[in-house]
Amino acid sequence: MSGHSKWATIKRKKAKIDSARAVVFQRYSRELMVSAKMGGPDPAGNFRLRTAIDRAKAAGLPADNIKRAIEKGAGMGSGDNFEEMSYEGYAAGGVAVFIEVMTDNRNRTAGDIRSYFTKYNGNLGATGCVGWMFKPIGSISFETSVDFDSLFEKAVELGADDIAEDEDEYKVITTVENFQTVVEGLEAAGFKSTNAELTRVPENTIEVTDEKIASQIMNLMDKIEEHDDVQNVYANFDIPDEVMDKIVKY
């Protein structure tokens, strides 16, 4: 969990820079298009689309872009498919990496991802080689101004697995199957989340104290994150703060 949390923290610190990149907007636009195509353009009846809209707005995607993406997704024909896929491998130091993508050209995407692993002393593996290390969960975030006891009580009532304080927010953790029930139940009870997403957390972590290896890991993570087709990246590294401070520039 530590490596996952640190990577998430790093991404938040870089958010203002990253949000200006076209790749970030494209990432949210693809999720909006696929969600609209799969469940229709009305967020009231399409939970995946509704959460995608909320996340896109939080990331700063303009309203016009959101509208266009939904309209495009709703009108997409069978020849306009984005394929949801995953890639798995090992970064330097034996760190496990799990990547979720949306692509319209799997050969291009696979070639690019493989080249990144090779460049930074890693290896792209076969399907299933590390996926079992990353547990799928639902994560719902709230500002700490929310009353913790009331949130906890309602979350438990709705069947949430856990609630914890992470950095400057509260996080309600659910199973994937119970995610929608908890999100909608908390909303109905008056709790407004800042983010709700399906994500993955590592079952175990690998401590990395060598600066060279840590740098290779972070360079690989950055490169993968920058790829247009990549939606999410998860890894099980645990790099101590004193090492992270030396290799990461915000």
Side-chain angles (χ1 to χ4, degrees), residues 1-21:
M1 184 68 181
S2 180
H4 170 82
S5 296
K6 287 179 181 177
W7 178 237
T9 300
I10 291 165
K11 289 196 289 185
R12 281 198 295 270
K13 289 181 178 178
K14 294 166 59 181
K16 289 186 178 180
I17 298 172
D18 288 345
S19 65
R21 291 170 161 176

Side-chain angles (χ1 to χ4, degrees), residues 52 70 81 132 162 167 169 191 197 231-232 250:
I70 294 172
N81 287 338
W132 58 273
D162 193 15
E167 294 279 323
E169 61 186 4
F191 296 101
E197 63 179 340
Q231 294 297 108
N232 297 294
Y250 303 124

Side-chain angles (χ1 to χ4, degrees), residues 126 194 196:
T194 56

Side-chain angles (χ1 to χ4, degrees), residues 172-234:
V172 174
I173 305 301
T174 78
T175 61
V176 172
E177 295 75 17
N178 206 28
F179 178 61
Q180 181 174 349
T181 297
V182 176
V183 170
E184 293 181 339
L186 289 175
E187 285 180 353
F191 296 101
K192 176 61 178 175
S193 66
T194 56
N195 186 54
E197 63 179 340
L198 293 175
T199 184
R200 295 173 183 265
V201 293
E203 298 278 16
N204 56 69
T205 59
I206 294 178
E207 185 175 31
V208 180
T209 57
D210 183 282
E211 288 183 28
K212 180 179 179 181
I213 293 176
S215 182
Q216 289 173 331
I217 293 169
M218 298 312 300
N219 284 332
L220 173 62
M221 297 292 283
D222 276 336
K223 195 68 177 176
I224 293 172
E225 281 272 356
E226 290 171 0
H227 195 285
D228 287 352
D229 299 338
V230 171
Q231 294 297 108
N232 297 294
V233 188
Y234 309 99

Side-chain angles (χ1 to χ4, degrees), residues 19 26 30 35 41 49 61 87 102 124 129 144 150 171 176 183 195 202 206 209 221 224 229 234-235 243 247:
S19 65
Q26 179 156 313
R30 286 191 181 188
S35 299
L49 177 60
L61 193 67
Y87 295 98
M102 284 187 190
L124 183 64
C129 68
T144 53
S150 298
K171 282 191 175 181
V176 172
V183 170
N195 186 54
I206 294 178
T209 57
M221 297 292 283
I224 293 172
D229 299 338
Y234 309 99
V243 177
I247 65 172

